[in-house]
């Protein structure tokens, strides 16, 4: 079974989950980046969409990440035996 998530990353190296519940005053760019951990856990980037930086000097991108379950990673489905 495939799983998907979205990550926002900027050119300063910060990254965070796009749909994660956050405290309103939480500074996402001060928290540890999530992208390296997702890559280590087997998540793969599928598509990147550039996003405007607005008035900031930082550029952001939205990345679609995918993780495939073990049954599909082998190319075989689990048997019902």
């Amino acid at each position: 079974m495939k799983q998907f998530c979205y990550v926002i990353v900027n050119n300063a190296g910060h990254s965070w989950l796009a749909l994660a519940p956050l405290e309103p005053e939480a500074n996402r760019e001060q928290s540890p980046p999530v992208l390296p951990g997702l890559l280590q856990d087997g998540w793969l980037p599928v598509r990147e969409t550039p996003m405007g930086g607005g008035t900031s000097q930082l550029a952001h991108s939205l990345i679609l990440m995918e993780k495939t379950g073990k049954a599909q990673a082998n190319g075989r489905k689990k048997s019902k035996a």
Side-chain angles (χ1 to χ4, degrees), residues 11-81:
N11 60 326
H14 303 288
S15 59
W16 57 91
L17 292 174
L19 299 176
L22 294 172
E23 296 177 19
E25 60 229 24
N27 188 348
R28 293 171 288 203
E29 294 180 3
Q30 297 297 326
S31 59
V34 299
L35 187 57
L38 291 172
L39 293 170
Q40 287 179 346
D41 288 342
W43 290 85
L44 298 173
V46 175
R47 182 174 297 144
E48 178 183 341
T49 305
M51 298 167 36
T55 58
S56 171
Q57 295 180 0
L58 297 174
H60 294 81
S61 291
L62 179 68
I63 302 175
L64 173 62
M65 304 290 290
E66 173 185 277
K67 186 173 183 180
T68 305
K70 292 181 182 179
Q72 286 187 348
N74 296 338
R76 293 182 259 159
K77 293 183 178 180
K78 292 182 181 178
S79 62
K80 295 183 180 181

